[in-house]
Amino acid sequence: MSGKASAAFTEAYGDEPTGLWAAPGRVNLIGEHTDYNDGFVLPFALPQRTVAAVAPSPDGTWSVCSTLAPEPVTFGVTEPGEVTGWGAYVAGVVWALRDAGFEPPAVRIALASDVPLGAGLSSSAALESAVLTALIDLGGLDVPLERRPAIAQRAENLYVGAPTGILDQSASIRCEAGQALFLDCRSYAIEQIPFDLAAAGLAILVINSNAPHQHVDGEYGARRKSCEESAAILGVPALRDIDVTGLAAALERLGDEVLRKRTRHIVTENQRVLDTVALLRAGSVREIGPLLTASHTSMRDDFEITVAQVDVAVETALAAGAYGARMTGGGFGGCVLALVDDDRAEATADAVASAYAERGFDAPTSWVAVAGPGAARLNRL
Ligand code: ADP
Ligand code: MG
């Protein structure tokens, strides 16, 4: 991706970039829709990443182009709403940095990425995090690492207008190679959890269902609203404040069946994250499989965010011998991850591809994902 970003920079601006910054997409091992409930998540960074080739701008404006949109978008200091389309992700980062009291340098940017767009692997956070890190480094801005995810999240929430939680940006910025990131979405406390699957003879197979996303934004908003409603009825700041020991009593107080299901997912999912972390800390990697599968069942039956393609991928992977499998990401399409013996990854991917072909679904795309590094400068040209 570095070569592509540099070439795109030269093509668009007729000059060389000063430097290259990269930020990864992510998969969430477990903890789905828990982030906006102040709960727990456990993502790791993908090897796929977005690279930003960047140089100071000659005229005090910001310009950005992408291999996907080669014509540069140029803007000055803006407020939310002024830059629309994909350029809003970049204008949003500039705005959010200024809003937080920093002076980001005016730059030209060219982006190249191999994170699939709109597949639930967080290409949006990869883009924001690469740009944010470049602006901080080039401008010599004193923005501590722990503040960065919230700045990128504000860009996406308030400038782009997408109401996402803190998971994606935290993962892209704070993940480390060979580790999963245990994040408390209330305190933003993190812990790096060793996640060396190869040493255990295991692999995480990521299966992109390539299912068309439908109603994603509306359904996401509806889930958030249900969770907020439940928390309000239960008199707690967020569903994070209900734990599994209090679940039965809480469900009794929620008359509405939909609210009960949504609440049960969040409460049990938070516990599954904690249980997964405990197992990984103890070096029991294979044993997390049933928790992954239970998470999927909960997303399918209680949170109701899966579609046929992801359910078939999970069922097929399990039938092919996976220790556990679940949809990862916000839902309504996107990707599935399966925990498999490393020598079974290919056979599992083939089994899912056959099951898709039999049902007439678009072909899936599968790969083994190894936990990679978070956002960083790549080199000094
Ligand atoms: P996800 O984050 O799951 O991939 P989103 O809908 O949150 O899906 O973000 C995808 C959007 O991010 C794209 O529609 C596009 O606007 C923007 N985007 C991401 N990567 C790039 C890129 N390399 N070039 C241009 N736009 C990008
Ligand atoms: Mg996104």
Side-chain angles (χ1 to χ4, degrees):
M1 284 305 112
S2 312
K4 284 192 180 165
S6 287
F9 189 98
T10 306
E11 176 74 23
Y13 308 115
D15 207 351
E16 296 288 316
T18 311
L20 297 168
W21 282 260
R26 58 102 189 98
V27 281
N28 193 21
L29 186 59
I30 194 160
E32 221 61 75
H33 286 257
T34 44
D35 60 346
Y36 58 80
N37 287 290
D38 280 4
F40 305 108
V41 294
L42 189 62
F44 66 91
L46 285 171
Q48 287 96 329
R49 58 195 190 175
T50 297
V51 175
V54 189
S57 136
D59 60 6
T61 64
W62 288 266
S63 292
V64 58
C65 68
S66 161
T67 51
L68 302 174
E71 191 57 40
V73 177
T74 296
F75 53 89
V77 169
T78 63
E79 289 298 318
E82 288 182 45
V83 177
T84 55
W86 75 275
Y89 289 91
V90 179
V93 169
V94 171
W95 171 82
L97 268 171
R98 291 179 57 86
D99 198 55
F102 300 100
E103 274 297 332
V107 293
R108 289 165 155 175
I109 305 171
L111 300 167
S113 181
D114 57 0
V115 184
L117 266 58
L121 300 174
S122 222
S123 70
S124 59
L127 186 167
E128 291 150 9
S129 304
V131 169
L132 179 72
T133 308
L135 290 171
I136 288 170
D137 288 354
L138 269 179
L141 309 181
D142 183 19
V143 189
L145 211 52
E146 56 271 20
R147 280 193 69 186
R148 297 181 188 186
I151 292 173
Q153 184 197 11
R154 277 172 65 76
E156 184 148 350
N157 289 173
L158 300 176
Y159 203 112
V160 178
T164 59
I166 193 78
L167 162 64
D168 299 349
Q169 294 82 5
S170 298
S172 190
I173 290 169
R174 309 209 66 187
C175 278
E176 292 179 10
Q179 317 276 334
L181 180 80
F182 175 36
L183 170 68
D184 179 333
C185 298
R186 171 168 280 166
S187 67
Y188 297 168
I190 63 162
E191 184 184 338
Q192 302 289 345
I193 306 293
F195 193 56
D196 185 356
L197 293 167
L202 297 167
I204 290 283
L205 180 70
V206 177
I207 303 154
N208 184 350
S209 71
N210 292 322
H213 272 220
Q214 280 175 342
H215 316 302
V216 184
D217 293 347
E219 295 285 357
Y220 182 90
R223 295 304 178 283
R224 278 188 84 134
K225 199 162 158 281
S226 295
C227 291
E228 282 160 18
E229 244 179 275
S230 300
I233 293 169
L234 296 171
V236 290
L239 287 180
R240 145 74 176 275
D241 297 300
I242 310 291
D243 74 10
V244 281
T245 57
L247 178 59
L251 294 182
E252 263 178 39
R253 292 177 59 197
L254 294 171
D256 182 76
E257 181 57 16
V258 171
L259 294 188
R260 290 159 64 104
K261 286 165 118 182
R262 305 300 186 249
T263 301
R264 187 162 54 213
H265 168 72
I266 298 299
V267 173
T268 58
E269 186 77 351
N270 274 326
Q271 187 60 45
R272 282 186 288 271
V273 178
L274 298 177
D275 292 346
T276 302
V277 167
L279 285 169
L280 290 178
R281 277 195 198 117
S284 306
V285 185
R286 184 170 305 153
E287 288 75 4
I288 72 172
L291 293 165
L292 303 180
T293 307
S295 169
H296 187 78
T297 307
S298 179
M299 290 190 286
R300 185 191 63 203
D301 299 343
D302 277 347
F303 223 58
E304 299 179 281
I305 52 174
T306 69
V307 295
Q309 283 90 335
V310 301
D311 291 337
V312 166
V314 166
E315 284 154 24
T316 308
L318 291 173
Y323 297 106
R326 63 182 290 274
M327 183 188 77
T328 180
F332 305 99
C335 293
V336 162
L337 56 82
L339 179 66
V340 297
D341 282 325
D342 53 11
D343 59 3
R344 291 286 302 161
E346 208 178 317
T348 308
D350 290 347
V352 174
S354 302
Y356 272 40
E358 268 169 35
R359 287 169 178 77
F361 297 159
D362 289 348
T365 319
S366 303
W367 66 93
V368 168
V370 177
R377 183 164 189 168
L378 289 182
N379 64 353
R380 287 163 202 283
L381 291 177

